[in-house]
C-alpha cells in the first residue's frame, strides 16, 4: 500500500478550544489562532510525522517506509519534534496566565469567552512519544540514499552527522546509479562515455568506503531500462536485499526476462 500524507493542520483542535460557536469574541480569537497556527514553521512536517506513527499504531504493516524530501527538508523535519516539545512546555507554563487573562478580559466585557487550554496538555505526550520512537533503533532507522558524485556525497555526510546529533539510528547507505560499463571479450570497456563516468564514480565510491566502513553500503547498478512497473521494481528490490555481483556479468544480464517498454 502507498499513501500521500496530508499535512494540512487540522482545524478541529482549534475548534475544541473555543467551545461557543455563537460567541463573536470566541469566533474572532478562533480565527486569529487559525492564522497563527497555520503559519507556524514546521507544523506541516510535524503533522506528517504524527500521521506516520498513527499508521504504525494500527499494526497493519510489519514495516512502514517514509520517503523523505531532499536533505535540507529532511533535517528540518527530524528536528521539528524537539523544537515543538520545547515550545509546548513553555506554552504550558504560561497556560494559566494566558487563560486567566482571557477569562478576566471576557468577564470585564460581560461576555463568555472562556478558553479551554487543555489541548496543549494532551498534545505534549504525543510529541514526547514521537521524540522517543524516533530515537529508538528498534523502532526507527534512517536509510541514506545517494549517488557517487561530489554534491550527493557531501549532502549524505551532512545528513549522517545531523542524524547522529539527533540520536537517530542510521547504519545503511544505498549508492544508486553506479555505472558498470560493458566490456569486450578482451576486457576492454567498449563505451568511452561509460568509461569516463565509471572512473569519476570510482573516486567517490572509494571515499564512501572510507567514510562509512562501519555502515552497510549497498551499490545499486545503473539499470539499462527505466525502473518502473511491478516486475522491474520487484527485480530492483531483490538487488537491494542481495546486491548483484557485477564481476563477470553485464547490467543487461540483470534485466533478462523483463519487458523493455
Amino acid at each position: 500500500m502507498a499513501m500521500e500524507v496530508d499535512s494540512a493542520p487540522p482545524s478541529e483542535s482549534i475548534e475544541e478550544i473555543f467551545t461557543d460557536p455563537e460567541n463573536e469574541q470566541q469566533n474572532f480569537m478562533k480565527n486569529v489562532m487559525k492564522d497563527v497556527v497555520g503559519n507556524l514553521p514546521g507544523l506541516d512536517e510535524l503533522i506528517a510525522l504524527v500521521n506516520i506513527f498513527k499508521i504504525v499504531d494500527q499494526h497493519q504493516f510489519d514495516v512502514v517506509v517514509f520517503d523523505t524530501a531532499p536533505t535540507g527538508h529532511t533535517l528540518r523535519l527530524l528536528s521539528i519534534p524537539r523544537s515543538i516539545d520545547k515550545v509546548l512546555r513553555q506554552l504550558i507554563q504560561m497556560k494559566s496566565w494566558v487563560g486567566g487573562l482571557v477569562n478576566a478580559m471576557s468577564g470585564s466585557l460581560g461576555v463568555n469567552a472562556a478558553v479551554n487550554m487543555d489541548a496543549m496538555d494532551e498534545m505534549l505526550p504525543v510529541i514526547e512519544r514521537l521524540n522517543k520512537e524516533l530515537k529508538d533503533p528498534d523502532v526507527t532507522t534512517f536509510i541514506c540514499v545517494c549517488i557517487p558524485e561530489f554534491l550527493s556525497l557531501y549532502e549524505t555526510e551532512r545528513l549522517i552527522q545531523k542524524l547522529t546529533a539527533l540520536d537517530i539510528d542510521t547504519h545503511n547507505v544505498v549508492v544508486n546509479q553506479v555505472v558498470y560499463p560493458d566490456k569486450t571479450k578482451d576486457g576492454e570497456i567498449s563505451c568511452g562515455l561509460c568509461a569516463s563516468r565509471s572512473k569519476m564514480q570510482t573516486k567517490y565510491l572509494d571515499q564512501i568506503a572510507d567514510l562509512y566502513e562501519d555502515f552497510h553500503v549497498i551499490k545499486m547498478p545503473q539499470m539499462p531500462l527505466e525502473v518502473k512497473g511491478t516486475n522491474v521494481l520487484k527485480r530492483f528490490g531483490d538487488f537491494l536485499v542481495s546486491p548483484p555481483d557485477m564481476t563477470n556479468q553485464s547490467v543487461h544480464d540483470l534485466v533478462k526476462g523483463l519487458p523493455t517498454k
Side-chain angles (χ1 to χ4, degrees), residues 102-122:
V102 172
N103 294 335
M105 290 177 62
S106 63
S108 64
L109 294 173
V111 296
N112 177 21
V115 178
N116 176 16
M117 304 291 287
D118 294 336
M120 289 187 294
D121 289 321
E122 296 171 1

Side-chain angles (χ1 to χ4, degrees), residues 215-235:
F215 281 60
H216 181 212
V217 178
I218 302 172
K219 300 175 185 177
M220 296 296 292
Q222 174 75 63
M223 302 290 277
L225 50 76
E226 189 176 4
V227 182
K228 69 176 184 178
T230 304
N231 293 331
V232 181
L233 285 171
K234 284 183 177 179
R235 181 74 59 87

Side-chain angles (χ1 to χ4, degrees), residues 180-218:
Y180 292 98
D182 289 337
K183 296 181 179 179
T184 64
K185 293 181 180 180
D186 299 327
E188 299 292 330
I189 297 177
S190 58
C191 168
L193 175 61
C194 299
S196 298
R197 293 287 300 173
S198 179
K199 181 179 179 180
M200 180 271 294
Q201 289 188 350
T202 298
K203 176 176 65 174
Y204 296 110
L205 288 170
D206 290 342
Q207 292 181 20
I208 289 171
D210 290 339
L211 284 169
Y212 310 120
E213 58 181 350
D214 297 329
F215 281 60
H216 181 212
V217 178
I218 302 172

Side-chain angles (χ1 to χ4, degrees), residues 26-229:
Q26 284 201 20
N27 287 331
F28 172 76
M29 294 183 66
K30 176 173 64 178
N31 292 331
V32 170
M33 283 194 66
K34 283 184 178 180
D35 290 338
V36 172
V37 171
N39 290 291
L40 279 176
L43 185 64
D44 51 347
E45 289 93 344
L46 174 65
I47 293 173
L49 275 177
V50 171
N51 287 337
I52 290 296
F53 278 96
K54 283 182 180 179
I55 295 173
V56 174
D57 283 341
Q58 294 173 2
H59 301 293
Q60 295 180 349
F61 309 99
D62 296 325
V63 177
V64 175
V65 179
F66 190 13
D67 184 18
T68 64
T71 305
H73 297 282
T74 300
L75 293 178
R76 179 187 173 201
L77 167 71
L78 296 175
S79 62
I80 283 299
R82 179 181 294 184
S83 302
I84 294 293
D85 181 83
K86 293 179 180 178
V87 171
L88 272 179
R89 291 182 185 279
Q90 292 173 348
L91 288 176
I92 288 172
Q93 291 177 358
M94 298 172 58
K95 180 181 67 172
S96 58
W97 178 82
V98 173
L101 178 62
V102 172
N103 294 335
M105 290 177 62
S106 63
S108 64
L109 294 173
V111 296
N112 177 21
V115 178
N116 176 16
M117 304 291 287
D118 294 336
M120 289 187 294
D121 289 321
E122 296 171 1
M123 189 175 183
L124 184 58
V126 176
I127 303 302
E128 289 177 338
R129 181 189 165 219
L130 192 58
N131 269 318
K132 180 180 178 180
E133 296 199 352
L134 279 175
K135 297 177 181 179
D136 186 349
D138 294 328
V139 176
T140 304
T141 190
F142 200 100
I143 300 175
C144 303
V145 180
C146 65
I147 58 176
E149 295 182 4
F150 170 77
L151 184 58
S152 181
L153 177 56
Y154 171 82
E155 288 291 289
T156 300
E157 176 61 13
R158 185 166 73 100
L159 174 61
I160 289 176
Q161 289 184 9
K162 184 63 175 180
L163 290 171
T164 302
L166 292 171
D167 297 323
I168 297 175
D169 177 71
T170 177
H171 56 269
N172 294 281
V173 176
V174 176
V175 187
N176 207 2
Q177 299 180 14
V178 178
V179 174
Y180 292 98
D182 289 337
K183 296 181 179 179
T184 64
K185 293 181 180 180
D186 299 327
E188 299 292 330
I189 297 177
S190 58
C191 168
L193 175 61
C194 299
S196 298
R197 293 287 300 173
S198 179
K199 181 179 179 180
M200 180 271 294
Q201 289 188 350
T202 298
K203 176 176 65 174
Y204 296 110
L205 288 170
D206 290 342
Q207 292 181 20
I208 289 171
D210 290 339
L211 284 169
Y212 310 120
E213 58 181 350
D214 297 329
F215 281 60
H216 181 212
V217 178
I218 302 172
K219 300 175 185 177
M220 296 296 292
Q222 174 75 63
M223 302 290 277
L225 50 76
E226 189 176 4
V227 182
K228 69 176 184 178

